[in-house]
Amino acid sequence: MDHHHQVLSIFSFLLTIHLSISGVISTTFTFVNKCDYTVWPGLLSNAGVPPIPTTGFVLQTGESTTVTAPTSWGGRFWGRTLCSQDTTGKFSCLTGDCGSGKIECSGNGAAPPATLAEFTLDGSGGLDFFDVSLVDGYNVPMLVSPQGGTGDKCTTTGCIEDLNGACPSELSVMSLDGKENVACKSACEAFNSPEYCCSGAFGTPDTCKPSSYSELFKNACPRAYSYAYDDKTSTFTCANAIDYTITFCSSPTTSQKATQGQDTKQESSSSSKSNSATPQLNNDNTMVYEGGYNQSEISEAMCTHVLLHSQIIACIITITTAIWHLC
């Protein structure tokens, strides 16, 4: 084999290995429903990035689903509740509805109020940036937990409190029968005031300050965004995370949502419940989430992380051996 063919062979081999490794270390999102009611996750990709294949699906109590994100993906996730299908086949939800008329949101975002998980993968410095936001209000407890990542700010964030029960009447979204708060509006959504929306004269970090309403959210969920400029305590970063687990309700949350207004065709009779302890919160910015995941879940994630690194090392050894033989 002449030198030209050797170079081409090595290049082809390295390209194949590179593509293989890229597929192995893709970031995944695992959605887990620990609520005592069905949640329909919605997914919206940012403009200009390759989209995630699905834009919405159903997640029964106790179920989990994993989706793989394209390289450098960015977008948001949320949970829809109290969903049903009418006689014409139109699908809609009382909270978090995306207006598509179907389970798939097809490029539409969530109608507020809705708890949001926001991500930018492979951003500045190669880091993943993520947060849980209540800027558009709240409808369901949500926790984001990175698996296998590193960094001082690579930690669990979210809002595990049921804010619907504590929601002021002027922010409340009521169930169809008027007996229960099913979501909690932001002050911006409720009053459409520049002071609450951080717009106009209040459109800078210096002029837009926390309000009594945003502080209600912040006190309950110190790591979640409570208003537009709540960056310092609410943005988190990870290097080399292999998965982000998005959990709806970190422990079973019973409510009338389990039976009210939902389509029985899409609802299973499952009543399985998680035995996870309720995470403990300290109402400051150094709080620690405990009990969100059991030891077997953590061990599985770590084993996966070690396996991925082993595969990469094996590929490097294979490449080195091939080059030695060709030369």
Side-chain angles (χ1 to χ4, degrees):
M1 180 183 295
D2 61 31
H3 178 71
H4 178 68
H5 287 155
Q6 284 181 342
V7 172
L8 287 177
S9 298
I10 293 172
F11 178 78
S12 298
F13 187 74
L14 291 176
L15 180 61
T16 302
I17 294 297
H18 169 73
L19 294 174
S20 173
I21 293 175
S22 296
V24 168
I25 60 175
S26 294
T27 305
T28 58
F29 293 102
T30 300
F31 297 85
V32 180
N33 182 13
K34 291 187 178 180
C35 304
D36 279 354
Y37 49 88
T38 303
V39 175
W40 284 261
L43 301 84
L44 176 65
S45 299
N46 291 340
V49 301
I52 284 180
T54 181
T55 58
F57 52 90
V58 61
L59 206 58
Q60 309 286 359
T61 298
E63 284 188 341
S64 64
T65 296
T66 298
V67 298
T68 301
T71 303
S72 300
W73 181 83
R76 56 179 53 185
F77 309 124
W78 66 97
R80 294 168 287 174
T81 65
L82 296 163
C83 302
S84 61
Q85 205 165 15
D86 65 19
T87 54
T88 67
K90 182 181 178 181
F91 178 83
S92 62
C93 304
L94 190 56
T95 81
D97 189 61
C98 57
S100 67
K102 301 176 182 178
I103 293 180
E104 293 272 351
C105 284
S106 305
N108 293 341
T115 314
L116 302 176
E118 302 172 313
F119 287 86
T120 299
L121 302 182
D122 193 25
S124 177
L127 297 175
D128 298 340
F129 291 75
F130 62 99
D131 66 77
V132 169
S133 174
L134 308 180
V135 174
D136 285 348
Y138 168 98
N139 70 328
V140 63
M142 183 187 290
L143 208 61
V144 174
S145 180
Q147 308 290 342
T150 59
D152 293 340
K153 296 277 286 182
C154 185
T155 186
T156 298
T157 185
C159 186
I160 62 171
E161 296 292 329
D162 183 4
L163 294 181
N164 292 331
C167 187
S169 58
E170 59 269 33
L171 304 183
S172 293
V173 175
M174 303 302 295
S175 57
L176 293 176
D177 62 8
K179 294 181 179 179
E180 183 189 18
N181 294 345
V182 295
C184 192
K185 297 178 183 177
S186 67
C188 175
E189 173 75 11
F191 307 120
N192 194 28
S193 163
E195 178 183 357
Y196 296 127
C197 297
C198 293
S199 60
F202 297 91
T204 70
D206 292 331
T207 57
C208 191
K209 301 298 181 182
S211 67
S212 59
Y213 294 109
S214 71
E215 287 178 342
L216 175 70
F217 287 167
K218 196 66 177 177
N219 288 336
C221 303
R223 290 194 178 186
Y225 264 86
S226 60
Y227 74 106
Y229 292 111
D230 191 12
D231 298 271
K232 291 182 180 179
T233 60
S234 307
T235 299
F236 296 84
T237 56
C238 280
N240 303 316
I242 58 174
D243 177 83
Y244 291 94
T245 302
I246 293 95
T247 303
F248 300 103
C249 305
S250 60
S251 59
T253 301
T254 305
S255 105
Q256 294 179 22
K257 294 175 185 176
T259 56
Q260 184 181 39
Q262 299 200 13
D263 183 11
T264 55
K265 293 180 182 178
Q266 297 168 10
E267 193 87 54
S268 72
S269 60
S270 168
S271 60
S272 61
K273 298 180 181 179
S274 164
N275 292 321
S276 297
T278 301
Q280 301 300 309
L281 283 180
N282 300 316
N283 284 330
D284 56 40
N285 295 327
T286 59
M287 69 179 186
V288 177
Y289 290 92
E290 299 173 355
Y293 298 92
N294 60 39
Q295 190 61 43
S296 63
E297 290 173 313
I298 296 172
S299 298
E300 181 180 355
M302 291 307 295
C303 287
T304 304
H305 188 55
V306 170
L307 177 61
L308 295 178
H309 278 287
S310 298
Q311 289 172 315
I312 293 172
I313 292 170
C315 288
I316 293 171
I317 293 172
T318 304
I319 293 170
T320 304
T321 304
I323 292 173
W324 181 80
H325 280 296
L326 287 172
C327 292

